[in-house]
Amino acid sequence: MFVLVNLKAYPCDPVEIAEAAADVSDETGVRIAVAPQAAHLSAVAETGVETWAQHVSPVEHGSHTGSTLAEAVADAGAEGTLINHSEARRKLADIDASLGAAERADLETVVCANNPDQVGAAAALGPDAVAVEPPELIGTGTPVSKADPDIVTDAVEAAAAVDESVDVFCGAGISTGDDLDAAADLGATGVLLASGVAKADDPRAALEDLVEPLA
């Protein structure tokens, strides 16, 4: 299982969380990555943790003020990027172009989707993985794997019907080891989470609890 911690724009210490994630990953052998704000990518990457961007723009080098260039993200130390998170939705053509930008920069990609139909459409664009995240459950502490497990199994089937090489992750409400176990049982090969770690009083303890079933 792959654990991707999205720090969003929460008022947390990205380096502290990155150091904790790196330690827990080293101690348990579980693959853990952290996705901070773009300005913090280099500092997070310097901790040794696998570092991801929250977004890359569908642009090349040129006159694109305010864009997040994939090559700049890679230069800062990122190894992958989220695309089309429910808080940063994009049109299908822009998702495709962002995937192209990520490929140019040799970044691994996870395209987020709200439901199994969107998962199928995203999988057809050829990302490394898709993540199903019903927006109504994001930040609630109620995981999709428990609130509506059919969404996860249907998403796994939808992706496989298009391209069996595309992994399926699940997100929204993930915060405990039980949530991780449930996601795996439903066929997911990774999870996305945010507030369960970024807003935790003790991020290291939260990560240790999360991956305990895999250790």
Side-chain angles (χ1 to χ4, degrees):
M1 290 287 282
F2 176 41
V3 176
L4 178 52
V5 182
N6 177 12
L7 301 185
K8 300 190 176 183
Y10 286 132
C12 59
D13 183 337
V15 172
E16 177 189 3
I17 292 175
E19 290 173 341
D23 288 345
V24 172
S25 181
D26 287 344
E27 292 165 5
T28 63
V30 177
R31 183 186 175 196
I32 303 174
V34 175
Q37 286 284 297
H40 298 146
L41 283 168
S42 292
V44 166
E46 287 175 1
T47 69
V49 76
E50 183 175 337
T51 303
W52 279 53
Q54 296 180 11
H55 165 75
V56 294
S57 300
V59 299
E60 300 180 1
H61 287 281
S63 303
H64 304 293
T65 301
S67 298
T68 302
L69 188 68
E71 287 83 355
V73 162
D75 287 345
E79 300 176 45
T81 184
L82 293 170
I83 294 171
N84 195 50
H85 190 277
S86 65
E87 296 162 357
R89 298 289 300 280
R90 296 293 182 266
K91 296 178 180 179
L92 197 62
D94 288 337
I95 296 171
D96 194 25
S98 288
L99 284 167
E103 184 176 1
R104 287 197 320 268
D106 197 27
L107 295 169
E108 191 172 342
T109 51
V110 175
V111 175
C112 299
N114 290 351
N115 55 57
D117 287 342
Q118 290 184 14
V119 164
L125 299 176
D128 294 296
V130 292
V132 61
E133 287 194 306
E136 66 273 14
L137 295 177
I138 291 176
T140 65
T142 301
V144 61
S145 54
K146 293 181 181 178
D148 195 347
D150 287 346
I151 288 181
V152 181
T153 54
D154 289 350
V156 171
E157 292 174 2
V162 174
D163 186 343
E164 292 185 347
S165 71
V166 175
D167 286 324
V168 177
F169 303 161
C170 78
I174 303 291
S175 61
T176 70
D178 287 343
D179 299 340
L180 202 67
D181 261 350
D185 289 343
L186 294 170
T189 56
V191 294
L192 272 58
L193 71 154
S195 58
V197 171
K199 297 175 74 173
D201 292 333
D202 187 340
R204 181 189 177 95
L207 284 165
E208 289 173 337
D209 175 67
L210 182 73
V211 304
E212 190 274 333
L214 304 179

